[in-house]
Amino acid sequence: MTTSESPAPHFEVAVIGTGFSGLGVAAGLKRAGITDFVVFERASDVGGTWRDNTYPGAACDTESNLYSFSFAPNPGWNHTYAPQPEILAYLRDTARRFGLLPHVRFQHAVRSAAWDDAEARWHIETSAGPFTARFLVSGHGPLAEPKWPDIPGLDTFPGPVFHSSRWRHDLDLTGKRVAVIGTGASAVQFVPEIAKQVGRLTVYQRSAPWIVPRLNRRVDARTQRLYRALPAAQLADRGRIAARRELLVLGFFDPGKERLVADVARAHLEAQVQDPELRAKLKPNYRVGCKRILVSDDYYPALTREGVELVTDPIREVRPEGVVTGDGTLREADAIVLGTGFHVAESPAARVFRGRDGRTLAEVWNGSPRAYRGTTVHGFPNLFLMVGPNTGLGHTSIVYMIEAQVAYLVSALCHLRREHLLALDVREDAQRAYNDRVQAELAKSVWVKGGCTSFYLDQHGQNVGLWPGFAFRYKAGLRRFDPGSYHFRLSPVPLGRSGVRAGAR
């Protein structure tokens, strides 16, 4: 326990997580000359989502040249769509090259963080002891906490049951009867891999996803040499990919343009699945884009393999022998793999932060996350959320949004330094007006009007996951810190360069 003789270590900025968000923040702080910061990581390695998701076939569905930091291009990508090991290696290399590792405290899981209004600082409890910080940045990714389905009998199944994000590499599935529950982005990647080795594979589908071709290919040595010799060439390719992907957003608001993507997806299905009965099961019954559009070249062929069955009847229960569907059919299974996604709209991370009035972020949100610019929340001074509400994208790279938020965060910290301000808190009216504008735009989109339920939606049917439009519009809005949207607390004494009151340390 911390005593007055040994106070908890204090930092100007504390960052949680070492995925793209946490490392992006750390690198941004260093570039701005802010070095008094710590990064808490619950695991023993950096990487976040790309460290934890090691299931067979794990890969990104955004091209590598765009799914990377603009300040840290990688000329050595081996694939146009990088697999998980390459992305993890990239994050490790980024942490090393930019000198971020000395700031990381591994095996420090953040259990709680409470704002102390009298001290104007955050009190943080970690698995390795207490800390305090003037600013707190949450790098909890939206794909951090796996979601388990509520199926009777699942918890009593005698065989292995595991989520795709916690893959059991110690298990040999060769020749086994395997049940896969869920057909989202992860399942579309691991099903083709395990279909090659299992004895029998049963895939349980609640709703068919829209799938377009991935067209992944290896990056040849000549292209890699060009990128190394002429970085502008890789930058140009990045710009081309970004521009093409930005145009896709038009289809989410214009049914006419939406049909172009739907036609590509239907042609892909017809070309790869000849059986009319199976093809009918794989035809989505909602508008394209309402749920996440998936990319794959090998998922449909995997479902046509001998010994693979796609089941669309709802699951009634799990018994010791296997899975029972609504029509009473029992399909035996030796192992169950869950491809059921993550807690996105109601992130468990929101229970970590306790604001000025003593309530947690989860209590304030009450199932409907809201934030100003997806980054700050009224009543939680000096707290910044990375990839917060309405910052997700259905068409381009989330790393683009992360870098926009980092620029805004750094701009805010610099403003407070210049003005000798201790704390900021976004005005409630500014937050409300911002979210009203966002929801008004989203109400016109396929994400709300497309005839489906998705993890983008909260309990009231409002889209709390996605940004409504072009990513460059979001970036433009965060280019400069807007002090008029905030309440500030003046420091009683000038702040030093580290942001700590002069003479306080």
Side-chain angles (χ1 to χ4, degrees):
M1 183 175 180
T2 303
T3 67
S4 57
E5 288 75 27
S6 56
H10 178 79
F11 295 88
E12 182 181 4
V13 185
V15 183
I16 304 174
T18 61
F20 271 100
S21 290
L23 295 181
V25 170
L29 292 174
K30 289 204 76 170
R31 291 199 304 276
I34 301 172
T35 57
D36 183 18
F37 68 89
V38 65
V39 184
F40 296 121
E41 172 52 59
R42 65 183 178 181
S44 57
D45 192 8
V46 302
T49 294
W50 295 104
R51 177 198 60 236
D52 296 339
N53 285 266
T54 60
Y55 57 82
C60 187
D61 55 12
T62 300
E63 291 93 326
S64 310
N65 278 342
L66 187 59
Y67 195 78
S68 49
F69 293 119
S70 62
F71 61 85
N74 175 24
W77 291 120
N78 291 313
H79 299 82
T80 51
Y81 291 85
Q84 176 267 336
E86 279 196 54
I87 299 174
L88 180 56
Y90 170 77
L91 290 171
R92 287 170 173 165
D93 182 64
T94 299
R96 178 189 56 78
R97 282 197 295 142
F98 290 88
L100 308 181
L101 292 176
H103 295 271
V104 180
R105 301 290 180 94
F106 292 109
Q107 306 288 359
H108 280 58
V110 174
R111 294 171 173 167
S112 66
W115 172 256
D116 187 314
D117 211 38
E119 297 182 357
R121 63 175 57 183
W122 284 92
H123 286 257
I124 306 161
E125 291 294 330
T126 78
S127 57
F131 294 80
T132 62
R134 183 169 165 233
F135 297 99
L136 183 59
V137 184
S138 171
H140 290 99
L143 308 181
E145 298 296 333
K147 186 175 184 179
W148 281 60
D150 184 16
I151 300 175
L154 182 62
D155 57 345
T156 61
F157 183 70
V161 181
F162 58 94
H163 194 276
S164 61
S165 65
R166 305 292 186 268
W167 196 268
R168 290 282 305 275
H169 291 283
D170 59 314
L171 292 176
D172 183 4
L173 297 178
T174 303
K176 298 288 195 301
R177 298 168 298 183
V178 178
V180 171
I181 299 176
T183 55
S186 299
V188 164
Q189 292 183 346
F190 72 73
V191 162
E193 298 301 317
I194 66 174
K196 303 171 186 176
Q197 65 176 124
V198 301
R200 181 164 185 80
L201 180 63
T202 308
V203 179
Y204 293 87
Q205 172 187 281
R206 186 169 59 179
S207 61
W210 286 93
I211 301 177
V212 296
R214 178 183 291 270
L215 304 178
N216 188 29
R217 61 176 177 78
R218 288 194 65 85
V219 179
D220 57 66
R222 180 181 178 182
T223 300
Q224 292 176 341
R225 288 195 298 271
L226 173 64
Y227 287 163
R228 289 190 175 93
L230 189 63
Q234 186 172 20
L235 183 63
D237 279 346
R238 179 186 175 94
R240 174 183 54 79
I241 295 168
R244 173 171 52 80
R245 282 187 166 266
E246 281 281 54
L247 292 176
L248 294 176
V249 80
L250 297 174
F252 298 134
F253 291 87
D254 184 339
K257 295 182 176 62
E258 170 191 312
R259 283 194 290 271
L260 297 175
V261 179
D263 288 345
V264 171
R266 291 191 188 100
H268 185 48
L269 172 60
E270 292 174 4
Q272 293 197 318
V273 178
Q274 305 304 314
D275 179 3
E277 184 177 346
L278 177 58
R279 187 189 297 168
K281 289 182 177 181
L282 291 167
K283 184 178 180 180
N285 61 358
Y286 53 89
R287 287 167 55 189
V288 63
C290 185
K291 292 187 178 186
R292 180 177 176 180
I293 300 173
L294 307 183
V295 293
S296 177
D297 296 326
D298 52 6
Y299 178 68
Y300 286 150
L303 297 180
T304 67
R305 294 175 64 102
E306 184 178 354
V308 177
E309 180 184 9
L310 179 70
V311 178
T312 56
D313 291 323
I315 296 174
R316 179 197 297 174
E317 63 178 335
V318 173
R319 295 179 185 170
E321 300 83 10
V323 180
V324 180
T325 49
D327 61 359
T329 302
L330 168 67
R331 292 174 176 84
E332 296 182 336
D334 301 311
I336 299 176
V337 183
L338 306 176
T340 46
F342 300 83
H343 292 279
V344 176
E346 297 184 57
S347 172
R351 296 195 291 267
V352 169
F353 310 109
R354 197 170 293 276
R356 188 171 51 229
D357 66 0
R359 291 186 298 165
T360 65
L361 191 55
E363 290 170 334
V364 170
W365 281 344
N366 192 27
S368 297
R370 296 288 187 273
Y372 179 69
R373 301 192 183 278
T375 306
T376 54
V377 181
H378 175 71
F380 291 79
N382 290 10
L383 173 67
F384 293 84
L385 307 178
M386 301 301 296
V387 196
N390 294 112
T391 59
L393 295 167
H395 64 288
T396 191
S397 172
I398 191 63
V399 181
Y400 185 94
M401 304 293 271
I402 289 171
E403 292 199 54
Q405 287 187 289
V406 170
Y408 186 76
L409 160 65
V410 169
S411 179
L413 298 191
C414 291
H415 176 83
L416 267 68
R417 281 183 168 190
R418 287 192 305 269
E419 302 299 324
H420 302 295
L421 300 170
L422 267 183
L424 59 77
D425 188 9
V426 66
R427 291 182 4 233
E428 188 173 14
D429 61 323
Q431 179 176 304
R432 185 186 306 111
Y434 173 82
N435 282 282
D436 287 348
R437 291 195 302 272
V438 168
Q439 292 303 322
E441 291 187 50
L442 284 168
K444 310 169 190 174
S445 72
V446 68
W447 303 310
V448 175
K449 299 168 62 177
C452 74
T453 58
S454 73
F455 63 76
Y456 302 140
L457 307 180
D458 68 10
Q459 59 186 353
H460 304 297
Q462 289 195 313
N463 190 319
V464 297
L466 296 177
W467 167 251
F470 295 111
F472 72 78
R473 282 182 52 223
Y474 180 80
K475 182 178 180 179
L478 274 71
R479 193 176 303 277
R480 292 183 181 85
F481 178 63
D482 46 345
S485 298
Y486 289 83
H487 294 299
F488 296 97
R489 180 171 169 183
L490 184 65
S491 173
V493 295
L495 295 170
R497 283 188 56 82
S498 68
V500 179
R501 285 174 290 178
R505 295 187 67 183

